[in-house]
Amino acid sequence: MRIGLDRLSELDLGDRRVGLVTNDAAFDSRWRRSKDVVAQLSNLVALYAPEHGLGGAIGAGDRFSDTIDRESGLPVRSLYRQESLALDRSRFEDIDLLIFDIQDVGVRFYTYISTLRQLLAQEVPVLVLDRPNPLGGERVEGVALGAAYESFVGPRGLPTRYGLTIGELGAWMKETYALPAEYSVLWAEGWRRSFLWDDTGRPWVMSSPALAHRDALFCYAGFCLLEGTNLSEGRGTSAPFELFGAPFIDRMLLCQEVSALGLEGVVFTPVSFVPAASKWAGELCHGLYAHITDHRLAAGQVQDRLHRRAARRRGDGADLRVGHGRRDVRLHRSRARDVTRQMTSRPQPTDGRVHVTDQDKLLDYLKRVTADLQQTRQRLREAESGRQEPVAIVAMSCRFPGGAGSPEQLWELLAEGRDTWQGKTRELTLLPDQPYRVWRLSLRG
């Protein structure tokens, strides 16, 4: 397989002043960095950095200023403006051609694709050096985001997992958003829609601080939604988006329930961790670690069903809360239909790749995902509004009731509604007119 950067020598860029949008995770097949290859083959006059900066070390959501690249001496211009969807056009006045070469991860809320959209809104020609979609090109999953909820982490009309290469996605954006830039793609050769990342023969290079491992790519589409809850998605640990948890989670009970789901291609083990940053920083958290055993089976199964189980396993009376900062879960059915039609009707590339054409099957899948997501949201609302009532033993006799021999056995007795007192009959009576629910436990016989 030859990616777009491998083929750049096929083009004659002449004396055009080139600006390169990239980061240090972009290599060719000979392990040369994109900025070095482009500098050798063109009149490169400036570098442009997306979120996380040219070196990929700046934290999520942190703004950064323009600087100078110490290795090349070229100016590095920041393109990251957090939630702003517009860029200052003066930043491109000395550029004749923008080359975009960044490894994407195939998920809507990865902000590099929003940066591409911003560039297509400029009146500067854009050349995308195509790269493979790590999640493949056969599956499209998640709901299409409505225009009313659009943000920098949520381009409207795009499903969560969109199944397009970065070159195909740019073409879709230009058409869908009617963007003015002249657009061209140097396509990757040898890539097939059935390819997952392992099929490319390339090791995964950390494309942002929180996506260091290959397995995280396949968890990210679902686990990233945990950012809108009070569960840690693993930021501040060595395995973001591969583990999750919170101080109030009963990890063993959650592990049992998730195992009972029978998810294929992934197994979960109980884990405890202390995040060094982000949610619950410095606090001991309990949760689950996802281990991918089959990447083709695992992708797309974890998201909603796992979230539901976490919502039900809120130990110690704590709530799983869902915030609205990430406006990523509203559905507009018409947009789901539109994006399905647009993605499946695009002209076929000339290099032999085949687009998904079974529109009815894909639309049916999106409808089923929609229904499941709506049920999940309803359950989360019920969980958020539910009252967690404290339990207290306020009086008891000189021995534990029901044959219990320790406080732990007493809690088990109450939880399971049983007793072990031979020859006795238990009565559990709810007392009326109390500020809390109060039961009287009595033994007869």
Side-chain angles (χ1 to χ4, degrees):
M1 186 187 71
R2 299 175 68 210
I3 61 174
L5 183 59
D6 294 330
R7 301 183 56 205
L8 187 59
S9 60
E10 300 174 12
L11 302 182
D12 181 7
L13 299 178
D15 295 328
R16 284 186 288 181
R17 297 168 298 176
V18 171
L20 174 63
V21 185
T22 190
N23 60 21
D24 281 352
F27 290 85
D28 70 1
S29 297
R30 295 166 56 189
W31 295 106
R32 298 178 299 172
R33 291 175 304 180
S34 180
K35 65 181 183 181
D36 298 329
V37 176
V38 175
Q40 181 181 359
L41 298 174
S42 72
N43 178 26
L44 181 60
V45 300
L47 301 170
Y48 292 87
E51 185 181 11
H52 306 299
L54 182 65
I58 298 174
D62 294 341
R63 297 184 64 166
F64 56 95
S65 302
D66 296 351
T67 186
I68 299 295
D69 180 33
R70 292 184 298 175
E71 296 166 348
S72 66
L74 292 171
V76 181
R77 299 169 183 171
S78 172
L79 295 178
Y80 184 58
R81 294 294 181 269
Q82 294 173 316
E83 284 298 312
S84 173
L85 294 178
L87 293 173
D88 183 355
R89 297 196 175 190
S90 66
R91 302 179 67 77
F92 308 100
E93 287 180 343
D94 59 344
I95 300 298
D96 300 317
L97 174 68
L98 283 169
I99 295 180
F100 186 95
D101 187 31
I102 298 179
Q103 179 60 57
D104 181 35
V105 301
V107 176
R108 177 177 65 209
F109 27 77
Y110 207 55
T111 62
Y112 298 161
I113 65 173
S114 289
T115 296
L116 175 58
R117 176 184 175 182
Q118 290 177 321
L119 298 174
L120 293 174
Q122 310 301 314
E123 296 181 357
V124 180
V126 174
L127 168 65
V128 169
L129 305 184
D130 199 27
R131 288 179 175 269
N133 185 325
L135 304 184
E138 291 186 330
R139 298 181 67 170
V140 175
E141 296 176 320
V143 297
L145 191 65
Y149 308 105
E150 184 173 39
S151 71
F152 193 69
V153 294
R156 60 180 167 86
L158 195 63
T160 304
R161 176 181 175 181
Y162 43 79
L164 302 175
T165 69
I166 190 65
E168 293 171 331
L169 179 63
W172 180 86
M173 285 181 163
K174 176 174 171 56
E175 177 183 323
T176 301
Y177 306 136
L179 299 173
E182 177 185 327
Y183 183 73
S184 57
V185 179
L186 193 56
W187 297 104
E189 290 184 339
W191 183 79
R192 295 293 180 266
R193 308 213 76 84
S194 60
F195 278 13
L196 299 182
W197 185 255
D198 283 356
D199 299 311
T200 68
R202 300 169 63 91
W204 177 252
V205 177
M206 181 172 65
S207 58
S208 60
L211 286 180
H213 309 136
R214 176 199 59 179
D215 281 1
L217 301 174
F218 292 84
C219 297
Y220 180 62
F223 279 18
C224 190
L225 300 183
L226 295 177
E227 290 186 332
T229 74
N230 60 339
L231 295 180
S232 167
E233 66 282 358
R235 289 189 185 274
T237 75
S238 61
F241 303 113
E242 296 178 69
L243 55 80
F244 72 95
F248 52 80
I249 290 291
D250 183 331
R251 64 176 191 166
M252 298 306 297
L253 190 55
L254 180 60
C255 189
Q256 293 173 9
E257 293 214 0
V258 170
S259 297
L261 293 175
L263 297 175
E264 296 181 298
V266 59
V267 295
F268 293 89
T269 55
V271 66
S272 294
F273 58 94
V274 179
S278 194
K279 285 177 287 187
W280 304 111
E283 297 191 46
L284 180 62
C285 295
H286 312 284
L288 299 182
Y289 198 119
H291 307 272
I292 307 296
T293 59
D294 188 318
H295 292 84
R296 295 191 184 280
L297 292 176
Q301 291 194 76
V302 176
Q303 183 171 324
D304 290 336
R305 299 176 72 186
L306 185 61
H307 295 173
R308 287 188 216 164
R309 296 293 175 174
R312 292 172 57 185
R313 292 297 130 218
R314 305 164 294 167
D316 300 330
D319 286 335
L320 172 66
R321 296 190 299 275
V322 179
H324 302 288
R326 220 174 247 282
R327 297 162 291 181
D328 213 44
V329 294
R330 276 74 168 187
L331 170 71
H332 286 246
R333 291 178 184 272
S334 62
R335 294 305 301 155
R337 187 178 301 110
D338 290 346
V339 72
T340 301
R341 183 180 301 113
Q342 292 175 25
M343 286 184 170
T344 56
S345 63
R346 189 162 308 286
Q348 303 298 315
T350 58
D351 63 356
R353 287 178 288 170
V354 179
H355 280 250
V356 177
T357 56
D358 194 342
Q359 176 175 321
D360 292 337
K361 182 182 296 184
L362 181 57
L363 184 57
D364 180 69
Y365 176 81
L366 290 175
K367 289 179 179 178
R368 287 187 283 110
V369 170
T370 297
D372 202 27
L373 180 60
Q374 290 173 332
Q375 294 175 10
T376 300
R377 292 177 62 195
Q378 177 61 32
R379 293 190 182 188
L380 290 177
R381 282 195 295 266
E382 293 172 357
E384 186 176 10
S385 61
R387 293 179 57 189
Q388 297 300 307
E389 298 169 335
V391 176
I393 303 297
V394 297
M396 59 189 302
S397 63
C398 61
R399 66 176 66 188
F400 290 110
S406 67
E408 289 77 14
Q409 292 180 9
L410 176 60
W411 285 115
E412 293 177 2
L413 182 149
L414 290 173
E416 298 176 11
R418 62 175 176 81
D419 66 72
T420 58
W421 190 281
Q422 300 298 322
K424 300 288 185 180
T425 301
R426 173 180 58 83
E427 287 186 354
L428 192 61
T429 306
L430 177 63
L431 302 183
D433 303 324
Q434 301 293 324
Y436 299 99
R437 295 187 182 182
V438 179
W439 287 267
R440 176 187 293 122
L441 179 65
S442 60
L443 302 172
R444 297 184 294 104

